Amino acid sequence: MNTILISNKSCTSYKFLHALLLGIPCVHYEWVDDCVINRRSSDECRVENIQRTLLLNRGVDLLTNSVVRQDREREVSKPFVKQIVYLQGSRVFKDAWVSLVECGGGQAIKRWFKGTSELSLPTIVVSDQTSDLQ
């Protein structure tokens, strides 16, 4: 059985990010419409046969300002390998991000103490909109 995420756009929701990390294809809802309207068989509607135009983008590369596209192959992403990610925000926010960071191969920390060894300093800081970074 194939697992997919159906959405109307690329986003930064927990479900969308988790799907990308796990290599789960994220498709536009028009893919479902296309399969139903055209009475496609289950084989024709398999993930491997999804039209490239119906795969949602992974996001935008901030260095080049170019769109990062998904591949049809299930590609597990590990963007946090060897990274220590400091999480600041609400408990719900932190709990959700711990899962994403660990799924992405990193180590999440929720507390950061002054005098922490340089080897365990965070390389990435993630904060929700309610937190002041200090």
Side-chain angles (χ1 to χ4, degrees):
M1 179 176 175
N2 290 321
T3 301
I4 59 170
L5 180 123
I6 300 170
S7 182
N8 63 333
K9 62 180 180 176
S10 299
C11 57
T12 57
S13 71
Y14 175 78
K15 287 181 182 179
F16 191 84
L17 293 174
H18 215 116
L20 289 176
L21 288 172
L22 294 173
I24 295 172
C26 302
V27 299
H28 196 275
Y29 69 86
E30 289 177 357
W31 174 74
V32 176
D33 291 345
D34 180 60
C35 287
V36 172
I37 290 169
N38 294 308
R39 297 181 181 211
R40 300 193 189 284
S41 69
S42 59
D43 284 339
E44 291 176 304
C45 288
R46 292 179 58 82
V47 172
E48 298 83 25
N49 298 329
I50 295 173
Q51 295 175 13
R52 188 141 177 76
T53 57
L54 296 177
L55 284 171
L56 295 172
N57 296 325
R58 294 176 71 91
V60 175
D61 183 323
L62 296 177
L63 297 176
T64 63
N65 202 31
S66 59
V67 172
V68 179
R69 303 208 183 276
Q70 285 187 79
D71 293 324
R72 284 194 190 106
E73 295 83 38
R74 291 175 62 96
E75 176 184 320
V76 176
S77 182
K78 296 287 185 187
F80 299 116
V81 169
K82 297 184 181 177
Q83 303 295 322
I84 299 173
V85 181
Y86 172 61
L87 306 172
Q88 183 174 0
S90 70
R91 184 177 186 187
V92 172
F93 174 83
K94 288 179 182 179
D95 289 345
W97 269 92
V98 164
S99 176
L100 288 171
V101 169
E102 290 174 352
C103 181
Q107 175 190 353
I109 55 173
K110 296 180 185 179
R111 293 190 183 140
W112 182 6
F113 299 103
K114 290 183 180 177
T116 303
S117 161
E118 211 172 293
L119 294 174
S120 60
L121 287 175
T123 51
I124 300 172
V125 177
V126 180
S127 176
D128 66 5
Q129 296 175 353
T130 63
S131 299
D132 291 327
L133 289 175
Q134 297 177 0

